[in-house]
Structures are given as C-alpha cells and as structure tokens.
Amino acid sequence: MQERTRAGAIDKVATGIPGFDFVAEGGLPESRATLVAGTAGSAKTVFVSHFLAAGIQNFNEGGVFVTFEDSPADIRTNMRAFGWDIDRWERENKWAFVDVSPDSSGPTPIVGEFDLGGLLSRIEHAVRRTNARRVTLDSLNALFVQFADRALIRSELFRITTTLKKMGATVVFTAERTEDYGAITQFGIEEFVADNVVILRNILLDERRRRTLEILKFRGATHERGEVPFTVMERGIIVIPLTAQQLTQESSSVRVTSGNAELDQMCRGGFFRDSIVLVSGATGTGKTLLTTQFLSGGFRPKERGLLFAFEESRDQLFRNAAAWGMDFEKAERQGRLRVANQYPHAMPMEDHLVRMRDLIDEFQPTRIAVDSLSALERVFTLRSFREFVISLTSSLKQKQITTLFTSTTPSLLGGNSITEKHISTLTDSIILLRYVETPGRMRRSINVLKMRGSPHDTELREYRIDGDGMHIESPFTDVVGILSGSPRSVAAVGDNEAS
Amino acid sequence: MVHLTLFIAGDTFRSQRAIANLRRLGDERLDGRYELEIVDVRDDPQAAETERILTTPTLIKRSPGAPRRVTGDLIDLDQVLMALSLTSGGER
C-alpha cells in the first residue's frame, strides 16, 4: 500500500483578489480544488473571472475558463466592465475558454454508457495551450441538471480535478445554492470533489444588501473564520478584512500638532502620529472648526491633509476656513490639502471604504479628518458601521496617519452618540466638546477624556470661538455635571447638601 | 450513404463497445452504406473543441439531412437510429 505524507504547511496560491489573500492567509491552497458556492447574483462568475484575470495581470499565469452557463461572448462583454480585456488575452494565449454552454441544438440524447472524456480532453488541451496554472469551471449545476446520474458526474468531476491538480493547476469551480444559509450545494460536490469551500452571500440585512464571503473549509490549511464583507466595484471583487493588517505594528511616540496650540498643551505635546482621535460634540460646538485647525496643522513641508467631508460642501468648508484665517485654496493648490466631498447615502459601506482607501493610497496624506462619522452611522447598519471603522482605522494606523473623526451627539447638553458607544474602544484619544448652561449664559467646555499612552490634561476647560478660531481657557471650577448633561453651579450643590 | 463521425476518448472498453455497436448498426441497419470516421479526442482535442464534444463516446451524423448527435456506447440500435433521425435502410 502506498502511503503519502503531507507536508506540514500547504503552499498557497495568491489569487490577486484584493483582500481575499489576507483573509485566506495567503490565498488558495496550491494544486487543489476549491468550490465557490453562492446563490444567484452572489458574484460567483465575477469571482472566478477575477481569479483568472489577476493570475494573468499579477503573476503572468495563464487561465482556462470552462463555462457551462454563460456564453464566452457574454463573459467577454460582462467582464470588460472590470477592465479585463479577455479578447486580447485569448489572442495572446493567456486565457482560453472551454465552451460547454447550451447551444441551439439542445441536449444530446443518451444511448448507453458514457463519460466526460470529451470535456476532459478539451480542458487539458486548453491548459497546455495557455500554460495555465488556474482553471475555473462555472457553474457545475448545469452538468447536474443535464445528466441524471449524479454519481457519474461526481466521479467524472473527481477525475477532471485530479488530472488538473496533477498538471499543477489550481482549480476553482462554482455551484449555485438555493439559499444563503443551508446545505452547501444540492449535489454533494463539496464532499466528493472540493478540498476547500468558499461561500459567497448576498443577503438583505436591515433593508440593505450585504455581500459577504466565508471560507468554510480549507483542508489542512489555516484561514480566517466567519463572514467577511466584500464588494464588487470597477476593478472586480474587493474583500474587506475586519482585523488589523499587521499585528506587529509598533505604536509611534512621535507627536504632531493638533493645529491648536492650547489643545496640544492639554495633550502634553500634541497627538501621537499614528493615533485615532475622536472629537465628540453637539451641533455648533466647533467640531468642524477643530477639524479645520487640525488640517491646517498639516500645512507644512512633508505633510498632507485629506478631509472626507460628509456634511458640509467644499465651498462651505473653504469659506469657513477663510473666515478663521486659514487659506484652504492655497493649501489645495500646493498639494497640502485634498477635500473629498461625499454624499453618505450614495453607496454601501464597502464601496465607501474602498474609495476612501483608494484616495488615501493616491494622495498619501499624513493626516486625515472625517467630518462626520455620524453622517455615515446614519446610513449604514450598526454592524456595517462598526466594520467600517475597524477596517478603516486598522489600515490608517498601519500607515501611521494621524486621524481625526468627528461625532455629533444627538442632544445639545451632555449626550452620548451611537458612534461613540460603538467605536470609542477603537480610538486612541477622545475629546469632548460640550455646552455648559450657566445662569444667563451658554458656555462651552473641552475635555481630553482619554489619551492612550500619554498623560493628559483631565480638566474641563472653557473655550471661546471667535474670528481667529478656538481659544481654550481656564478650567470650569464653579460648575459640575457638565458631561452628564445637567450642569449645576458648585455653590448650588453645596446648598442642597446642607439643607 | 450515411456519413458518421464517432468521437471516443482513448482506446477503452467503452470506446471499443461503441465502435462494435456502430459497425453492427452500419451492417445490419444501413446495409453497409455508411462512412465512419473515428476521432480520438485524446489525440485530437482541437477537433473535440471545434465540435464542442462534452461526453464520449459521441456519434455525429453529418448527412443525409440535418446533423444529429447521440452519446453513449450505442447499445440500443433502435434508439440510436431514432436519435439520428435515420430509419433502417437509410434516410427516414
């Protein structure tokens, strides 16, 4: 009897699908068969096309697409939307179709025993011709619909994948599921043919579409667990990992200015360069002013600030900045500032995230402000929102970009927003801007509630806003209850206790 | 004259059975008036690609009449004739 020992670690093939290889801890196991299963519209065909396209574009590896449902002409046309020029790759012998899609003559009558030898020879031929390392079969349902003998089809698929694995190809085939949760496939392919299973889901959650990907079984290989969001955009599939990109990230001790000298003092020398700062306050407390000052703190050599503005228009922001004596237009011309005005409703969370990351990669900012996170919180589901913040902050910390988020509290006095409740643990520093109601006058207070890794001013200080910006002054010594939203003068508290 | 092409995958028992059944069909039902081309897709995969052969063995009737296909080892000659739109002795 022949015994085979398996190497401790399985070699992986990087798919080149953004985010997937991180989630799959390197990619798909090499020279193995992976089943990609999902309901209709779960982007299975885009996934396998991307797998082949990325092989050609990133690794110069040929690919073979065996299509059982869509015609090659349709696939060529549909995938052009993602910038994949399949026609050209076919001419260059980098991509080959094996066309098994239905034709006008209908299914061939069966008389006696048969096998899929014709298909196997065609696939082998295409693999040799393109020197393919990647083969996809999309989707197997058509085979099971056409041929009643499921045991035969399963054993033939096993023969095909075994042959392809011996040729050194990594195989990805798809199967359609009838529901997003339940049996993996109706045909038991996963048990007989697949070494690995990737589930694609397209589900409605709180009235919003949500695409997720889950790696169910990677025989003998490690991978992330659970559902991970992904999106389909101009360049294909983008998977959004929810954990930090690198856990080895060292935290920086370098300080940068907050753009406000007095706030720098409260923080004992400014923000840490790789920190995430949350500024919370009711409307009118000066969050946008603080954001503006933070960005202008980056108007210096080797710094660049990027603002994601979800509430105010570019014109408004520039006008306000000018009123406070900060020249945003000049900074923009000099390449020190970029303002991305986005309408939060326009797209799903994943798309926002991908666009933001693209812009960050392009502009290479040293500081980023998001004004406000609350605007996004209102349009995302809670779960998406939290995933958004986790994913964004981990990539920003990795790049050592100083980040300032603003959050609008729902009530004017005191207050706690959903944003804060769900992301406060993800932030390094929290700054509270609060209204303080005192006899005959509304005042404002600023407090550094938390600053990870540094001593900081713990006092509630009064600040004023005038034509020059924000001025932080002395602590409130005569008022308590500011943060709970029911400020009282200290004298009044004393009277109550005495009576 | 009936023009037939049989696609097989390698020299297997199944291929041999299909060839034997087909010769029996030609001799017994077509009075020997047939031409048979045998293509082994393992030697000529491009032919299989051109004809979009999925299963093997696959028999194609080129003429007379419209082209017809049937797949399997052709064990039942009546069913084969029906699938190819042929009658004993020639064209239906």
Side-chain angles (χ1 to χ4, degrees), chain A residues 42 158 178 209 265 271 291 306 367 387 414:
Chain A
S42 61
F158 185 75
T178 49
R209 278 277 150 209
Q265 272 177 13
F271 300 148
T291 304
L306 175 58
R367 49 179 73 203
E387 287 173 353

Side-chain angles (χ1 to χ4, degrees), chain A residues 203-239:
Chain A
I203 47 184
L204 262 181
L205 188 76
D206 298 341
E207 299 179 353
R208 288 180 184 85
R209 278 277 150 209
R210 176 181 158 87
R211 290 187 186 279
T212 66
L213 174 151
E214 184 180 14
I215 298 169
L216 226 49
K217 166 179 85 167
F218 264 19
R219 239 173 239 170
T222 59
H223 59 85
E224 292 263 305
R225 285 173 199 285
E227 291 183 43
V228 182
F230 77 95
T231 182
V232 180
M233 296 180 71
E234 297 95 89
R235 284 158 302 153
I237 303 268
I238 302 179
V239 182

Side-chain angles (χ1 to χ4, degrees), chain A residues 97-103 108-119 121-122 124-125 143 146-147, chain B residues 9 14 17 41-42 45-46 48-49 52-57 69-76 79-80 83:
Chain A
F97 279 110
V98 174
D99 180 8
V100 202
S101 63
D103 60 14
T108 304
I110 299 165
V111 179
E113 292 175 16
F114 68 95
D115 56 35
L116 297 183
L119 176 63
S121 289
R122 288 166 66 191
E124 284 178 285
H125 177 56
L143 274 183
Q146 191 177 344
F147 301 107
Chain B
R14 185 173 294 150
R17 263 200 319 273
V41 297
R42 305 203 61 78
Q46 187 54 51
E49 184 60 47
R52 296 178 43 128
I53 303 297
L54 171 61
T55 51
T56 42
R69 294 178 173 216
V70 61
T71 192
D73 62 10
L74 314 175
I75 186 76
D76 185 325
Q79 282 189 34
V80 175

Side-chain angles (χ1 to χ4, degrees), chain B residues 17-83:
Chain B
R17 263 200 319 273
I19 294 168
N21 287 332
L22 188 51
R23 296 220 184 272
R24 198 157 53 86
L25 178 123
D27 295 339
E28 295 175 9
R29 308 292 178 93
L30 303 176
D31 303 328
R33 287 181 298 173
Y34 71 101
E35 258 180 31
L36 174 61
E37 180 195 10
I38 296 174
V39 177
D40 188 338
V41 297
R42 305 203 61 78
D43 300 330
D44 191 356
Q46 187 54 51
E49 184 60 47
T50 308
E51 291 291 351
R52 296 178 43 128
I53 303 297
L54 171 61
T55 51
T56 42
T58 290
L59 176 65
I60 302 179
K61 181 205 74 175
R62 310 278 185 189
S63 66
R68 301 275 176 182
R69 294 178 173 216
V70 61
T71 192
D73 62 10
L74 314 175
I75 186 76
D76 185 325
L77 300 187
D78 291 331
Q79 282 189 34
V80 175
L81 285 176
M82 201 177 349

Side-chain angles (χ1 to χ4, degrees), chain A residues 313-331:
Chain A
S313 71
R314 185 176 168 285
D315 285 353
Q316 261 176 314
L317 288 161
F318 279 44
R319 212 164 42 234
N320 291 342
W324 288 313
M326 291 170 274
D327 194 342
F328 268 30
E329 276 180 34
K330 185 176 156 204

